[in-house]
Amino acid sequence: MDVKQKYWNPVLETLPREKIRQLQLNKFKQIFKWTYDHSKFHRQLYGQAGIKPEDIRSFKDIKQIPKVEKSMMRDIQRKDPFPYGDALCVSLEDVAVFRQTSGTTGQPVYQPDTWQDWEWWAECWSYILWAQGYRPRDRVFIPFGYNIFVAFWAGHYAAEKLGCEVVPGGVLDTKARILKIQELQATAMMATPTYVLGMAETAKSKMDLDPSQLTIEKITCAGEPGASIPSTKRRMEQAWGAKVYDHAGATEIGAWSFECNEQPGGMHVNEGMFLVEIEDVESGEIIEEPGHRGKMIITALDRQAQPCVRFDSKDVIEWADEPCPCDRTSRLIKGGVVGRADDITKVKGVLLAPSAIEEVVRDLDGLGDEYEVIVEKDGDTDRIKLRVEVLPEAEDQCQLIEDKLADQLRLKTNLRYDIEICGCETLPRYEVKAKRFKDLRKKG
Ligand SMILES: [Zn+2]
């Protein structure tokens, strides 16, 4: 591959819109028929709705197809063909790879992949890495506990596929990982935003080492929305002296979206490989126009062992209205994944997305990276407690910071908070994905 080449796949990434749509429709018909023919679970689901493969001629027909929810997958699994159950479209002999979802929202879902699916994962990730400037000269350090979760496994294989040199930072602890980055002069890494900030904090406070003096030039994030939240992105970029890029993917879906090197304030959907539909949460209508948020219904157009067809992802997204200066013709989602339909909750009658709080907290000088939000009932009214950490150099400005924080939060979220300013390093720390938003009302 010519390192000066701008796109990983120059044909697919610059295909005129109408051709992308035609390709998506053709591929959708194929994966639908594959699924219908090979998965008992899907055939039953579609049979109940009276839909057969030959009924699908347009995107309008696709809208009528029943969605698949995670809970449906949970119900059919742990049965024969063990442990995947009736959605398995290939024989068990053809399954080459096992992964499972993290189980943060309930019992984990098992994900089988064939060898071909696994190659497809690496191909999805190759688009991401190439668009973010990864080239064969890069030495990529992956500070990730390699295990049953898909996380950065596919990023690892894609980096190899590009010709980068990959250093797996598996069982090392945070300090050892930082030292390895220093020793090998690694140029790139992949991690969750929580861990990117956590590593920087460890380097500064426990090793007397400034991570921006290391050789990391770019960081690819996943697993949490932070890299698309401007203030969190800025904190990571300043701490590491590196470009920070977002990407979105999931075990049951694949790596479907990425920020390119132009960083237009949104992420490209890899439309040659995925069909993304945005559904209005209240009306159930598919949203075509920009600027209107809804939840994502997604189809992986090429995945075979356990297909992902009209999967109700619960990710909240919206289409951007401007094309990207990088000239890729795929559509952008504005501001990345802005939340989870499950997390966006009504507080005092106002819709609140936890990411909006993060954006404000991390935008204020004088505050540390950690925060904690607790929503609870006080009689008939909701109360929101927000705990933040003040940095040692700003301890004499607590009142000023609190006032600013309250103002900004009111502007951004239309809500009032009980703010508590805590000392440095008093709030919980998280290794990989954080749980900073706690809604105690749900426990009754
Ligand atoms: Zn772009």
Side-chain angles (χ1 to χ4, degrees):
M1 180 85 80
D2 177 359
V3 295
K4 292 206 191 77
Q5 191 172 304
K6 190 170 169 189
Y7 309 108
W8 173 251
N9 185 326
V11 178
L12 271 185
E13 292 186 82
T14 57
L15 212 57
R17 290 291 320 154
E18 62 279 10
K19 288 202 170 163
I20 293 184
R21 293 297 274 170
Q22 192 55 49
L23 177 73
Q24 288 183 312
L25 185 57
N26 292 343
K27 279 186 154 193
F28 186 93
K29 288 183 196 169
Q30 273 176 24
I31 195 70
F32 186 84
K33 184 168 171 15
W34 164 264
T35 308
Y36 188 90
D37 289 346
H38 295 90
S39 152
K40 218 158 121 187
F41 160 75
H42 286 91
R43 195 161 52 248
Q44 231 164 37
L45 181 71
Y46 302 144
Q48 281 159 6
I51 297 174
K52 291 201 170 71
E54 55 270 28
D55 298 332
I56 298 160
R57 290 177 213 95
S58 67
F59 285 101
K60 220 173 122 204
D61 300 326
I62 294 177
K63 291 180 195 173
Q64 310 304 321
I65 298 171
K67 291 170 283 187
V68 173
E69 304 223 6
K70 201 175 214 165
S71 58
M72 295 157 92
M73 298 304 294
R74 278 191 197 110
D75 291 345
I76 60 163
Q77 292 197 328
R78 291 158 185 85
K79 293 172 192 148
D80 287 334
F82 190 81
Y84 305 110
D86 281 341
L88 186 67
C89 287
V90 297
S91 74
L92 279 172
E93 286 76 24
D94 287 329
V95 175
V97 181
F98 169 93
R99 292 288 182 278
Q100 68 174 53
T101 60
S102 61
T104 38
T105 56
Q107 197 169 33
V109 172
Y110 300 147
Q111 184 67 47
D113 279 311
T114 62
W115 182 86
Q116 193 184 334
D117 287 331
W118 197 237
E119 164 53 30
W120 163 87
W121 259 111
E123 179 67 8
C124 298
W125 262 90
S126 298
Y127 284 79
I128 300 169
L129 297 182
W130 197 266
Q132 297 176 351
Y134 286 69
R135 293 296 180 269
R137 68 163 188 87
D138 277 306
R139 181 170 294 144
V140 184
F141 186 83
I142 308 188
F144 156 63
Y146 289 78
N147 57 24
I148 49 177
F149 307 123
V150 80
F152 296 100
W153 274 106
H156 175 127
Y157 284 111
E160 286 183 355
K161 186 169 170 171
L162 258 64
C164 303
E165 181 183 331
V166 180
V167 186
V171 295
L172 303 179
D173 67 14
T174 300
K175 279 187 193 170
R177 285 169 173 168
I178 293 165
L179 290 173
K180 201 45 109 180
I181 288 172
Q182 187 178 42
E183 175 194 336
L184 296 176
Q185 300 179 6
T187 58
M189 68 174 191
M190 306 176 192
T192 60
T194 290
Y195 196 58
V196 172
L197 289 171
M199 279 174 96
E201 192 180 72
T202 300
K204 282 184 223 154
S205 69
K206 302 203 168 78
M207 303 167 75
D208 201 21
L209 191 154
D210 177 359
S212 71
Q213 298 304 309
L214 297 172
T215 43
I216 296 290
E217 295 162 9
K218 50 193 166 278
I219 300 170
T220 300
C221 287
E224 297 173 323
S228 280
I229 297 174
S231 53
T232 300
K233 186 198 273 288
R234 196 165 52 244
R235 283 189 177 218
M236 290 191 278
E237 292 194 329
Q238 280 168 358
W240 285 89
K243 279 274 214 181
V244 169
Y245 296 103
D246 200 6
H247 125 269
T251 314
E252 319 90 304
I253 302 169
W256 57 274
S257 179
F258 58 89
E259 197 177 14
C260 68
N261 64 332
E262 294 283 350
Q263 302 197 307
M267 294 201 290
H268 287 275
V269 173
N270 187 343
E271 291 189 288
M273 300 176 86
F274 297 89
L275 173 66
V276 164
E277 302 169 85
I278 305 179
E279 185 186 277
D280 186 290
V281 179
E282 269 151 28
S283 72
E285 293 292 315
I286 298 298
I287 300 162
E288 304 288 354
E289 74 278 10
H292 185 154
R293 282 184 184 180
K295 64 175 177 172
M296 177 175 78
I297 311 298
I298 188 163
T299 301
L301 297 166
D302 308 276
R303 198 175 190 179
Q304 296 194 333
Q306 184 169 282
C308 168
V309 178
R310 295 208 88 221
F311 178 66
D312 184 352
S313 74
K314 312 263 195 271
D315 284 328
V316 177
I317 56 173
E318 68 179 86
W319 294 119
D321 50 1
E322 296 288 326
C324 187
C326 76
D327 293 331
R328 283 180 182 78
T329 46
S330 54
R331 277 180 293 182
L332 292 168
I333 50 170
K334 191 177 165 189
V337 174
V338 292
R340 303 264 313 151
D342 302 336
D343 288 347
I344 294 182
T345 174
K346 264 195 181 163
V347 181
K348 299 180 194 176
V350 178
L351 279 179
L352 172 67
S355 58
I357 300 175
E358 175 167 326
E359 195 173 339
V360 172
V361 170
R362 297 229 172 117
D363 199 32
L364 268 184
D365 292 335
L367 289 181
D369 296 326
E370 282 304 334
Y371 64 95
E372 185 174 58
V373 184
I374 299 166
V375 184
E376 51 195 358
K377 272 254 177 277
D378 181 12
D380 281 338
T381 53
D382 298 329
R383 290 175 78 90
I384 321 171
K385 231 185 245 170
L386 171 64
R387 293 200 178 104
V388 292
E389 287 183 354
V390 66
L391 295 175
E393 61 267 30
E395 268 167 7
D396 54 341
Q397 297 162 44
C398 282
Q399 193 54 51
L400 190 69
I401 290 173
E402 187 178 329
D403 294 345
K404 263 194 198 167
L405 191 56
D407 279 351
Q408 292 301 318
L409 284 166
R410 202 164 41 242
L411 273 175
K412 184 95 192 164
T413 67
N414 258 321
L415 288 162
R416 280 177 189 283
Y417 299 73
D418 297 334
I419 295 170
E420 187 186 332
I421 303 218
C422 310
C424 208
E425 292 188 43
T426 49
L427 293 175
R429 294 297 191 265
Y430 301 90
E431 261 290 291
V432 186
K433 284 196 200 190
K435 270 210 168 67
R436 301 187 178 98
F437 188 86
K438 292 163 188 154
D439 191 347
L440 305 181
R441 299 169 303 172
K442 287 174 185 163
K443 288 177 183 158

